[in-house]
Amino acid sequence: MEVDKNYRIDANFRWLGSQIKANEELCLTVCGIEQCKPDKYYGPAVREDYHVHFVLRGKGTLEIGGRSYQLQRGQIFVIPPGIETYYYSDPKDPWHYTWISFGGTRAAYFLEKAGITVENPVRDTFIEPERFLEITENILNHHALTVANELLRTSLLYEIISLLIDSYNQHMNAQGQKKTYDYSPDVYVNTAIEYIREHYSHAKVSEIASFIGISRYYLTHIFK
């Protein structure tokens, strides 16, 4: 059954699509949820945008760049633009996944911040994959072609990317990896100075660092 030309639903999947918009930082193109049939495959094919899949249940295989990945619940795999890929569900335990697809001038940058690159197209979700499913369902539920819904869908895309980056950072911190910061030291120093000016009478180093989102050690280091 077809609800409108951009939204489709049947017993196995829900799907919402739109076109890439030039020069946008991030632009939703497709998202959906699918309970795949055994041995269902896609490709070999080359995409024009990024397709990020979150495996909810079952198993499947991704073939990309001469490598093969066996995937299951709690894993993420990305189909980058311009690279031939082939992926298929397991014959006995086919995967059930949700996916979000997007383009944009900063799409590759945001995915790299989330630990996903062309060289490393697979990672764990590090959180329950249903968190991503809930957001995708919210996008699909606002499929009506209105400006308000378009803005909401875009905001939910940003929420998914934010969750990807945050879950990756938390995992890296838990592994004891050295924390990297997103902005230059000058940005943090200037923000700290503004905070001190506003709270001079009772500002503490720990409070300043917490407000900015960096460690006390790093704040002290960049001030020196």
Side-chain angles (χ1 to χ4, degrees):
M1 178 177 68
E2 184 169 308
V3 179
D4 60 45
K5 68 177 182 179
N6 292 314
Y7 181 72
R8 297 176 187 173
I9 182 171
D10 71 12
N12 295 311
F13 76 94
R14 294 174 69 190
W15 179 92
L16 174 69
S18 59
Q19 294 181 340
I20 296 177
K21 296 181 180 178
N23 301 320
E24 286 198 1
E25 179 180 86
L26 209 58
C27 176
L28 175 69
T29 53
V30 181
C31 72
I33 305 165
E34 183 166 7
Q35 172 62 67
C36 295
K37 296 179 180 179
D39 286 324
K40 182 170 183 179
Y41 65 89
Y42 295 89
V46 177
R47 308 281 189 169
E48 296 181 353
D49 47 5
Y50 289 92
H51 290 240
V52 182
H53 297 69
F54 307 89
V55 183
L56 305 169
R57 291 191 299 275
K59 300 175 184 178
T61 302
L62 167 69
E63 296 182 4
I64 179 174
R67 292 171 291 173
S68 179
Y69 300 88
Q70 308 301 314
L71 298 159
Q72 58 187 357
R73 172 182 166 78
Q75 291 188 294
I76 300 168
F77 68 96
V78 63
I79 308 299
I83 298 178
E84 185 175 88
T85 55
Y86 177 61
Y87 56 105
Y88 49 93
S89 62
D90 187 83
K92 296 182 179 179
D93 187 16
W95 51 16
H96 178 198
Y97 54 54
T98 181
W99 79 92
I100 188 89
S101 306
F102 51 89
T105 58
R106 303 192 75 192
Y109 169 78
F110 290 142
L111 285 176
E112 183 178 356
K113 285 292 182 182
I116 301 171
T117 63
V118 172
E119 294 76 21
N120 297 287
V122 173
R123 57 156 265 204
D124 292 340
T125 58
F126 304 129
I127 58 176
E128 293 297 314
E130 284 77 13
R131 293 279 300 280
F132 298 101
L133 173 64
E134 290 171 4
I135 302 173
T136 306
E137 287 179 328
N138 200 2
I139 294 174
L140 290 167
N141 289 337
H142 290 85
H143 55 80
L145 303 181
T146 67
V147 172
N149 276 349
E150 181 180 359
L151 292 171
L152 179 60
R153 291 192 296 265
T154 300
S155 72
L156 292 169
L157 168 61
Y158 274 93
E159 184 177 349
I160 287 179
I161 300 300
S162 175
L163 192 57
L164 276 171
I165 295 172
D166 186 57
S167 61
Y168 178 71
N169 287 339
Q170 289 190 30
H171 169 74
M172 297 301 287
N173 291 339
Q175 295 297 309
Q177 298 288 334
K178 184 178 180 181
K179 185 174 178 60
T180 59
Y181 294 104
D182 296 325
Y183 302 99
S184 69
D186 287 345
V187 172
Y188 294 120
V189 168
N190 290 335
T191 304
I193 290 172
E194 290 300 320
Y195 184 91
I196 293 169
R197 285 173 176 166
E198 293 294 326
H199 306 86
Y200 180 77
S201 62
H202 57 275
K204 298 179 180 179
V205 176
S206 58
E207 292 175 350
I208 300 169
S210 178
F211 177 81
I212 299 171
I214 61 178
S215 71
R216 176 173 177 162
Y217 170 82
Y218 185 64
L219 176 62
T220 304
H221 173 72
I222 59 179
F223 254 87
K224 287 182 179 180

